Amino acid sequence: MERGRGRMLPLLAFHAASEYYRLDRKPPVTACLLAANTVIYLRPGFLHSILPPIDEVWFNAHLILKHRDLKRFFLSAFYHVGESHLVYNMMSLLWKGIQLETSMGSAEFASMVTALLGMSQGITLLLAKSLLLFFDYERPYYSEFSVGFSGVLFAMKVVLNSQSENYSYVHGVVVPARYAAWAELILIQMFVPGVSFLGHLGGILAGLLYLRLKSRYSGSDPLTLIFRGLAGALSWPVRIVKGLFRSPRRRISGRGNVGRDRTGRTASDRWRCQTCTYDNSGWLSICEMCGANRNDNGFSPHQVSNHSRDLPVDELRRRRMERFGR
């Protein structure tokens, strides 16, 4: 397939920019994955000496096992044979990545993508070798050359739709969402020539394996902890710069530890009054709106002061509206 820079890349850029513009929280990992795949495809001049050519990174089970070529194992997922191949995969990544990253958090999403990449490539390699050993399928699978992010995308589709009870359109066919990846695997294999059946199947199996492992382990996996640590280390210069331009806070004088009262509460420990539902500062033990007392666990008790007990509910609401309206 001829590699040209036509009109599809600007369309991808415009679509990605419009999607990110409407989001309150911008998912950074999805943006980095989009940028990495696109930059590798465009191969700007300053990266020519760093990025290997596509001929050296094709996923091929025979070459990977013969030469133990980890470069082909990992980098092949980030290479694409043409502009339409790239744009189709990146549109799918944008849609799936935004939903998954905003729901699970950037660190866990990065951990998941890393795990799915390794598992999908590993399962594809295992399938190709197994078909050779047990069925002597060498030419169609063991010697197949493939590239692209599709395997990871199929795995992400399995994770995204795993708990869905809705229906989904797959190339015009309505299927239950949890089976959408299987339907897409069959339809693409039937109507799109030259695609990697094992690569897509390996992605689906990787998604199922990830869900199975995740259901047995409720805590944060080691990769998530690593990515959280990296994110914290990379963000501290930004926090320092923000701190330099932040307006100075009001100083609090007096005896004792600054920032805490004798019970260990801080000003950021806000509590909600059960009488009028007003959110009070952690420094206060009496509701600033209605005068109700705060108990030890951070909520106001049913026994309130005489002043607040005599006030009807409508009066409490009116005072709260006046306070917020100032």
Side-chain angles (χ1 to χ4, degrees):
M1 186 181 296
E2 182 181 356
R3 295 185 61 184
R5 300 181 188 180
R7 300 177 180 178
M8 299 187 69
L9 283 178
L11 176 64
L12 172 63
F14 175 77
H15 182 68
S18 62
E19 286 292 321
Y20 268 75
Y21 177 77
R22 68 179 181 83
L23 293 174
D24 295 330
R25 179 180 177 275
K26 321 298 181 186
V29 178
T30 301
C32 290
L33 289 172
L34 288 169
N37 280 273
T38 305
V39 169
I40 289 176
Y41 173 77
L42 293 175
R43 291 182 63 84
F46 66 93
L47 291 178
H48 267 296
S49 59
I50 301 175
L51 294 175
I54 192 172
D55 294 336
E56 297 180 5
V57 298
W58 288 99
F59 185 93
N60 179 269
H62 170 67
L63 295 177
I64 292 174
L65 293 176
K66 180 181 179 180
H67 303 291
R68 293 178 173 80
D69 194 346
L70 294 180
K71 178 172 76 276
R72 293 181 182 272
F73 185 86
F74 289 108
L75 293 184
S76 59
F78 297 94
Y79 281 70
H80 294 81
V81 294
E83 191 173 282
S84 59
H85 186 206
L86 171 73
V87 172
Y88 179 83
N89 279 352
M90 293 304 100
M91 289 286 195
S92 179
L93 172 62
L94 180 66
W95 183 76
K96 296 179 178 69
I98 287 177
Q99 295 184 77
L100 287 170
E101 186 172 358
T102 53
S103 63
M104 64 176 32
S106 297
E108 187 175 353
F109 176 72
S111 170
M112 183 195 71
V113 171
T114 304
L116 293 180
L117 172 62
M119 287 192 294
S120 63
Q121 299 287 76
I123 292 175
T124 302
L125 188 66
L126 181 62
L127 289 174
K129 185 64 175 179
S130 299
L131 289 173
L132 173 67
L133 293 177
F134 298 109
F135 302 99
D136 198 24
Y137 283 170
E138 179 175 359
R139 293 192 60 187
Y141 298 118
Y142 191 67
S143 301
E144 179 185 65
F145 289 85
S146 62
V147 290
F149 211 69
S150 302
V152 181
L153 293 174
F154 268 86
M156 292 171 62
K157 192 180 191 75
V158 172
V159 175
L160 182 62
N161 295 329
S162 60
Q163 302 298 327
S164 176
E165 299 294 338
N166 298 324
Y167 286 83
S168 176
Y169 282 93
V170 180
H171 302 286
V173 180
V174 181
V175 296
R178 64 177 59 187
Y179 302 119
W182 292 104
E184 187 173 358
L185 171 70
I186 297 172
L187 292 174
I188 287 180
Q189 195 66 29
M190 291 173 57
F191 298 108
V192 182
V195 297
S196 174
F197 174 75
L198 282 191
H200 295 170
L201 177 61
I204 294 177
L205 297 178
L208 294 174
L209 178 60
Y210 176 84
L211 291 173
R212 185 67 177 270
L213 295 175
K214 197 70 176 175
S215 65
R216 296 193 172 192
Y217 182 71
S218 59
S220 298
D221 57 274
L223 280 176
T224 301
L225 298 178
I226 292 174
F227 281 117
R228 283 176 181 168
L230 290 175
L234 293 175
S235 62
W236 73 265
V238 178
R239 294 197 300 268
I240 291 178
V241 173
K242 287 183 178 180
L244 294 176
F245 295 96
R246 187 178 300 165
S247 58
R249 297 178 180 177
R250 184 172 54 186
R251 293 181 59 88
I252 301 174
S253 59
R255 300 178 62 183
N257 296 328
V258 176
R260 294 183 180 270
D261 63 5
R262 293 180 180 178
T263 63
R265 296 167 181 162
T266 64
S268 60
D269 296 333
R270 305 190 68 85
W271 58 280
R272 176 164 293 182
C273 177
Q274 290 184 350
T275 303
C276 66
T277 70
Y278 179 71
D279 291 331
N280 293 274
S281 170
W283 296 109
L284 302 175
S285 58
I286 297 177
C287 178
E288 192 176 6
M289 177 59 61
C290 67
N293 293 321
R294 174 187 182 182
N295 62 1
D296 292 336
N297 59 10
F299 295 94
S300 60
H302 295 289
Q303 296 81 14
V304 297
S305 62
N306 294 331
H307 174 71
S308 61
R309 185 186 302 134
D310 296 336
L311 292 177
V313 176
D314 293 339
E315 178 65 16
L316 291 175
R317 291 176 179 172
R318 185 187 66 79
R319 292 191 179 188
R320 188 181 185 197
M321 292 178 63
E322 289 180 354
R323 182 173 185 83
F324 282 117
R326 282 189 286 178

